[in-house]
Amino acid sequence: MQFERDVSLEGLNTLGVMSRAENFCRVESDADWLAAIDYANSRGLGITLLGGGSNVVLGEQLRGLVVHPVGDEIDLFEQRGDDVLVDVLAGTEWDTLVRICNQRGWFGLENLVSIPGSCGAAPVQNIGAYGVEIAEFIESVRVLDLSTREFSVIKSQDCGFAYRCSYFKGPWRARYAIVGIRLRLSTTPAVNTSYAALGQALDNAGLCEPTPEDVLNTVAAIRAAKLPDVRRVPNSGSFFKNPIVSGEHAQHLKAQYPYLPVYPLSDGRAKLAAAYLIEATGLKGYQHAGCGISEDHALVLVNPGQATGAGCLALAEHVMSTVQSAFGVTLEIEPVVMGA
Ligand SMILES: Cc1cc2nc3c(=O)[nH]c(=O)nc-3n(C[C@H](O)[C@H](O)[C@H](O)COP(=O)(O)OP(=O)(O)OC[C@H]3O[C@@H](n4cnc5c(N)ncnc54)[C@H](O)[C@@H]3O)c2cc1C
């Protein structure tokens, strides 16, 4: 295991902004994680965890020690009846995990295919897509307490999972590193096609009784058609969360904008489509401070070439204030801002 100084992170964030780590290391085993803590402690350095860099906005320099989990390990821990418990190392690529589980007949994750990033980061914002969230499949999360150097296991129900959020994105952000996750999957080939666009695409393809593989392939195809490819157009996926407003506010907006997608929630509030709000303000394709809003998808900020983290945040501020003025709705940034 190596500790390096002044390392470029340009290839380690999907927005492709220029950024450098003051100190950097890759970790795979428990011993690596502990060595990283010891290195940081002995030099008085703070630790920043960086997975695939697909949900971050990086400033020009990340001070302290940037720890990057690597390696891939997917193990069957236990099978009981139709239930399988699968242990996965933090550095494993999420999309690889989804596809391997499907090939092995461990079902449930199909709707979450093609989400970039690492398995260690997946619980952090409770990744979700096409009607499914990872929280439904997390049995437990294995963590390392960065201050006490102790490994422990946290049950799913104690992780504070919510829409694009968990305690790992909030109060536990500086406390725990996720070193592995345990998933509860099923050998029963049940599928979730409740998400309207997915159901429609399956119908259009004549797949009346879709298999998990059909769902995986259909979701992958929809995503490929809809979202800009990070290898061609650097971006960090959805830059804003879908805002949640009171039921009255949603009704008021719906009366003014009949095409506004409104998703009622069980507590009486409603989730709005941030993409619609941004597009309605005419900002799709808009560029500012070296950063742009995708021509294809209003939720996605793209780096046309030389964008900086600060530039992306300046554009995001502009979008947020424009939407606030137009609709009285407060947008919230989805990626984690580091060193900017
Ligand atoms: C094109 C594109 C499409 C996307 N689509 C979706 C989508 O459909 N649904 C969705 O939910 N997200 C989506 N995302 C966002 C992103 O892919 C996920 O949030 C992903 O889980 C981030 O993983 P990462 O390894 O890249 O994390 P990073 O971006 O490296 O880190 C994100 C946060 O997690 C923390 N972190 C990283 N590793 C660990 C660890 N081992 N332990 C503790 N904390 C850690 C970091 O410190 C940081 O705070 C998309 C992103 C892109 C670029």
Side-chain angles (χ1 to χ4, degrees), residues 250-275:
Q251 273 176 9
H252 176 70
L253 288 171
K254 187 79 179 167
Q256 281 183 287
Y257 308 95
Y259 295 110
L260 169 68
V262 172
Y263 309 101
L265 301 176
S266 53
D267 61 5
R269 296 182 301 162
K271 196 189 279 182
L272 308 178

Side-chain angles (χ1 to χ4, degrees), residues 12 14-15 33 48-56 67-69 90-91 94 111-130 164 168-169 173 176-180 223 227-230 235-238 300 334 336-338:
L12 271 183
T14 59
L15 250 181
W33 280 102
T48 298
L49 301 165
L50 184 64
S54 62
N55 207 27
V56 290
V67 177
H68 177 57
W94 173 261
N111 301 46
L112 301 175
V113 72
S114 301
I115 298 180
S118 61
C119 291
V124 172
Q125 75 148 358
N126 180 21
I127 56 168
Y130 295 89
R164 295 297 179 275
F168 298 106
K169 200 171 179 179
R173 186 171 158 192
Y176 289 126
I178 296 174
V179 298
R223 292 183 67 104
L227 288 171
D229 181 346
V230 290
N235 72 84
S236 59
S238 302
V300 179
E334 186 182 300
V336 177
V337 178
M338 294 174 173

Side-chain angles (χ1 to χ4, degrees), residues 4 29 58-59 66 96 104 113 116 127 176-177 243 262 265 290 306 332:
E4 300 166 67
S29 64
L58 303 183
V66 173
T96 304
R104 293 185 186 171
V113 72
I127 56 168
Y176 289 126
V262 172
L265 301 176
Q306 300 293 317
E332 199 185 326

Side-chain angles (χ1 to χ4, degrees), residues 6 26 34 36 41 102 122 126 148 208 267 288 337:
D6 193 27
R26 295 177 176 81
L34 293 175
N41 285 349
N102 184 264
N126 180 21
T148 64
C208 312
D267 61 5
H288 176 71
V337 178

Side-chain angles (χ1 to χ4, degrees), residues 17-279:
V17 299
M18 273 172 287
S19 176
R20 301 193 80 80
E22 194 181 19
N23 297 274
F24 179 85
C25 69
R26 295 177 176 81
V27 290
E28 186 168 358
S29 64
D30 285 3
D32 292 344
W33 280 102
L34 293 175
I37 294 183
D38 293 343
Y39 182 91
N41 285 349
S42 64
R43 289 161 180 79
L45 305 173
I47 288 180
T48 298
L49 301 165
L50 184 64
S54 62
N55 207 27
V56 290
V57 181
L58 303 183
E60 279 176 27
Q61 194 195 31
L62 265 56
R63 298 183 69 82
L65 175 64
V66 173
V67 177
H68 177 57
V70 293
D72 57 273
E73 207 172 290
I74 303 168
D75 293 323
L76 177 63
F77 171 71
E78 186 181 280
Q79 175 155 12
R80 272 197 204 160
D82 288 354
D83 272 7
V84 283
L85 293 180
V86 180
D87 284 344
V88 189
L89 209 60
T92 311
E93 198 189 354
W94 173 261
D95 184 53
T96 304
L97 169 75
V98 173
R99 291 171 190 276
I100 286 181
C101 286
N102 184 264
Q103 284 160 15
R104 293 185 186 171
W106 303 335
F107 302 121
L109 303 179
E110 300 75 30
N111 301 46
L112 301 175
V113 72
S114 301
I115 298 180
S118 61
C119 291
V124 172
Q125 75 148 358
N126 180 21
I127 56 168
Y130 295 89
V132 169
E133 289 181 341
I134 190 186
E136 297 165 44
F137 302 100
I138 295 266
E139 173 75 3
S140 59
V141 175
R142 184 164 180 262
V143 296
L144 170 61
D145 188 315
L146 296 172
S147 48
T148 64
R149 297 174 86 256
E150 277 169 17
F151 291 95
S152 60
V153 171
I154 302 178
K155 288 266 170 212
S156 178
Q157 59 268 29
D158 299 325
C159 292
F161 287 126
Y163 168 62
R164 295 297 179 275
C165 201
S166 74
Y167 293 152
F168 298 106
K169 200 171 179 179
W172 292 348
R173 186 171 158 192
R175 179 171 176 192
Y176 289 126
I178 296 174
V179 298
I181 57 176
R182 176 168 291 172
L183 299 169
R184 181 179 290 276
L185 303 176
S186 174
T187 54
T188 304
V191 292
N192 180 340
T193 59
S194 59
Y195 194 85
L198 173 58
Q200 188 65 57
L202 289 163
D203 278 354
N204 292 348
L207 297 165
C208 312
E209 291 184 18
T211 63
E213 195 177 358
D214 292 332
V215 171
L216 184 150
N217 290 333
T218 305
V219 170
I222 299 174
R223 292 183 67 104
K226 206 169 129 194
L227 288 171
D229 181 346
V230 290
R231 287 162 302 187
R232 245 181 352 95
V233 186
N235 72 84
S236 59
S238 302
F239 208 87
F240 302 98
K241 295 183 185 182
N242 285 325
I244 294 174
V245 299
S246 70
E248 302 85 74
H249 193 170
Q251 273 176 9
H252 176 70
L253 288 171
K254 187 79 179 167
Q256 281 183 287
Y257 308 95
Y259 295 110
L260 169 68
V262 172
Y263 309 101
L265 301 176
S266 53
D267 61 5
R269 296 182 301 162
K271 196 189 279 182
L272 308 178
Y276 178 94
L277 299 174
I278 297 169
E279 197 166 343

